[in-house]
């Protein structure tokens, strides 16, 4: 792994105001996750996932929700351009509901 | 509904949900790229004339376009290939290259092979001279060229360049013109390099500043500004 520092840029970030609506602890969690991209742009602890070539998404768990951050990594220029930050609430809830359905056992069936 | 069918249905909906989320991500990434491309076009338009003026100035001073590589700021986000194409199309000079010091260092650090803009595919230079700031991946740069059989020397100050040019007679020189202690003007040095080497690559900072300096006939102004900025005398330098 290289030791370089990536420059985090927010010039084109959609949803920049989202952290403001979070409780302090969650806000800090999200900001720390973003700041951590400067050292490691593909953080495993936030399930970094390549969305398309150079575009990566991380999921930061917060109280009763998850915040996804989409960004573009340029290894040549050592930059991370934040693209979008949004709540994953609806997807998360739907996922949990479906997972619950999978566990559903009809009464009277062994 | 049988249990298997029910589970299969739930899995199908889950997969659908994942696809929907992935599509949303891809859409946002595409929107971002479109915005960036729009900005790039604007910046490119604004910089093209400056690039061309600077390039023309270098050509005039050197009397030959084949020794010069102009650097373009990474901050503009303009692809090098685009700039290279535009400059070559407009000037009709296939030998004018565009490169960037940071990019070169990054490529060498990553791939451990000699890399320089425009000469990557022709690493047949026997004697190579680097004039670079101290600590700039120097060992990696040197070893990457040495592996390919080049004899590499490095200098960190402008005063040493002339001596090494004399002593080494390099085939290729990569020089950062904002190095300290340049006793001659940048353009005068360029003329020397162009005369004495097969190829010179000029590695500098921002293209706009570089071109302004070129047009004014000296790199010293920029170097002085950088020194002042590093001493904190110029805010945001």
């Amino acid at each position: 792994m290289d030791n370089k520092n990536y420059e985090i840029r927010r010039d084109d970030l959609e949803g920049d105001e989202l952290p403001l609506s979070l409780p302090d602890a969650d806000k800090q969690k999200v900001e720390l996750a973003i700041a951590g991209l400067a050292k490691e742009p593909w953080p495993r602890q936030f399930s970094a996932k390549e969305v398309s070539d150079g575009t990566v998404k991380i999921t930061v768990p917060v109280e009763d929700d998850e915040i996804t951050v989409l960004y573009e990594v340029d290894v040549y220029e050592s930059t991370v351009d934040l693209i979008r930050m949004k709540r994953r609430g609806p997807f998360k809830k739907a996922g949990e509901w479906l997972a619950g359905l999978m566990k559903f056992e009809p009464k009277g069936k062994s | 509904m049988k249990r298997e069918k029910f589970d299969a249905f739930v899995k199908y909906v889950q997969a659908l949900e994942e696809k929907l989320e992935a599509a949303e991500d891809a859409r946002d990434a595409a929107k971002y790229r479109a915005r960036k491309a729009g900005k790039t076009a604007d910046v490119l338009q604004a910089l093209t004339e400056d690039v061309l003026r600077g390039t023309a100035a270098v050509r005039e001073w050197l009397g030959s376009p084949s020794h010069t590589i102009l650097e373009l700021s990474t901050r503009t986000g303009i692809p090098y290939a685009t700039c290279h194409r535009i400059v070559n199309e407009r000037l009709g000079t296939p030998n004018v290259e565009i490169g960037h010091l940071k990019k070169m260092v990054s490529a060498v650090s990553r791939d451990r092979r000699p890399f320089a803009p425009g000469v990557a595919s022709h690493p047949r230079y026997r004697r190579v001279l680097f004039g670079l700031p101290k600590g700039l991946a120097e060992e990696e740069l040197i070893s990457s060229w040495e592996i390919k059989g080049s004899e590499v020397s490095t200098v960190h100050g402008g005063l040493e360049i002339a001596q090494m040019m004399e002593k080494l007679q390099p085939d290729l020189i990569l020089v950062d013109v904002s190095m300290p202690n340049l006793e001659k003007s940048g353009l005068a040095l360029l003329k020397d390099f162009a005369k004495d080497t097969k190829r010179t690559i000029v590695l500098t900072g921002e293209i706009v500043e570089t071109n302004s300096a070129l047009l004014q006939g000296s790199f010293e102004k920029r170097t002085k500004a950088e020194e002042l900025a590093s001493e904190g005398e110029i805010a945001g330098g």
Side-chain angles (χ1 to χ4, degrees):
Chain A
M1 196 182 123
D2 55 23
N3 291 319
K4 65 182 173 185
N5 256 314
Y6 286 76
E7 183 194 353
I8 311 242
R9 302 192 294 199
R10 292 169 175 257
D11 307 347
D12 282 303
L13 175 59
E14 269 183 38
D16 201 8
E17 68 292 340
L18 174 61
L20 300 174
S21 66
L22 297 170
D24 280 351
D26 288 344
K27 196 193 299 175
Q28 208 177 358
K29 216 184 265 182
V30 173
E31 289 302 340
L32 273 175
I34 290 172
L37 299 177
K39 279 278 174 206
E40 172 50 282
W42 296 271
R44 278 189 203 160
Q45 74 266 37
F46 297 120
S47 319
K49 188 177 161 191
E50 192 102 12
V51 170
S52 58
D53 192 25
T55 313
V56 184
K57 186 173 79 169
I58 55 167
T59 306
V60 185
V62 293
E63 185 87 28
D64 293 331
D65 206 344
E66 285 174 341
I67 305 295
T68 58
V69 184
L70 192 68
Y71 53 92
E72 190 178 60
V73 183
D74 189 326
V75 290
Y76 297 107
E77 316 293 2
S78 302
T79 54
V80 169
D81 282 299
L82 301 182
I83 299 174
R84 185 207 68 200
M85 210 187 303
K86 68 183 283 190
R87 285 179 183 273
R88 200 172 167 269
F91 282 111
K92 187 174 183 278
K93 285 201 173 88
E96 283 168 1
W97 182 75
L98 286 167
L101 280 184
M102 292 283 277
K103 288 175 196 156
F104 173 71
E105 289 292 341
K107 276 183 184 173
K109 203 175 176 184
S110 58
Chain B
M1 190 188 286
K2 285 192 173 172
R3 180 75 207 196
E4 294 77 32
K5 278 192 179 173
F6 175 74
D7 284 353
F9 171 72
V10 172
K11 275 184 184 161
Y12 171 74
V13 176
Q14 276 179 330
L16 212 58
E17 189 200 27
E18 273 171 28
K19 276 188 181 163
L20 183 64
E21 196 175 2
E24 208 171 75
D25 293 341
R27 182 201 62 195
D28 287 346
K31 262 167 56 184
Y32 164 76
R33 291 218 168 92
R35 280 200 307 271
K36 196 171 156 188
K39 277 188 187 169
T40 300
D42 291 345
V43 177
L44 186 58
Q45 183 67 31
L47 276 178
T48 300
E49 287 307 314
D50 197 47
V51 170
L52 295 176
R53 280 208 322 270
T55 308
V58 176
R59 289 179 68 210
E60 199 184 316
W61 269 85
L62 295 175
S64 161
S66 62
H67 298 85
T68 307
I69 289 183
L70 288 183
E71 182 269 354
L72 194 76
S73 165
T74 54
R75 289 182 207 169
T76 61
I78 299 169
Y80 283 85
T82 309
C83 293
H84 192 187
R85 180 174 55 73
I86 286 173
V87 168
N88 285 331
E89 276 175 9
R90 296 281 291 273
L91 294 179
T93 53
N95 290 324
V96 173
E97 300 279 355
I98 294 171
H100 189 265
L101 176 59
K102 250 176 76 184
K103 200 166 228 177
M104 182 184 80
V105 171
S106 164
V108 170
S109 305
R110 194 183 62 247
D111 300 336
R112 308 279 165 194
R113 64 182 171 79
F115 177 88
V119 296
S121 55
H122 308 286
R124 297 195 196 101
Y125 296 90
R126 213 153 57 82
R127 291 178 298 271
V128 179
L129 176 63
F130 283 113
L132 297 171
K134 258 187 182 164
L136 196 77
E138 188 187 325
E139 283 174 18
E140 288 166 345
L141 283 172
I142 292 173
S143 64
S144 71
W145 282 86
E146 280 177 344
I147 287 166
K148 284 283 181 182
S150 296
E151 181 191 325
V152 186
S153 303
T154 313
V155 293
H156 300 298
L159 295 173
E160 300 163 75
I161 291 181
Q163 295 164 4
M164 285 305 285
M165 288 286 291
E166 180 87 13
K167 194 175 152 192
L168 192 69
Q169 299 196 327
D171 302 313
L172 170 71
I173 173 166
L174 296 99
V175 61
D176 179 352
V177 289
S178 61
M179 273 198 310
N181 304 322
L182 283 174
E183 60 177 358
K184 289 183 177 180
S185 79
L187 285 171
L189 276 172
L190 276 182
K191 287 183 89 171
D192 286 352
F193 298 152
K195 197 173 64 196
D196 294 338
T197 60
K198 283 183 189 164
R199 190 155 203 161
T200 301
I201 298 175
V202 182
L203 302 159
T204 64
E206 304 292 316
I207 190 74
V208 176
E209 291 170 38
T210 306
N211 285 340
S212 301
L214 283 171
L215 291 168
Q216 287 159 17
S218 168
F219 284 110
E220 270 70 11
K221 192 178 173 190
R222 177 170 178 269
T223 309
K224 185 67 187 161
E226 280 182 344
E227 282 166 15
L228 291 171
S230 66
E231 288 164 16
E233 290 181 41
I234 295 176

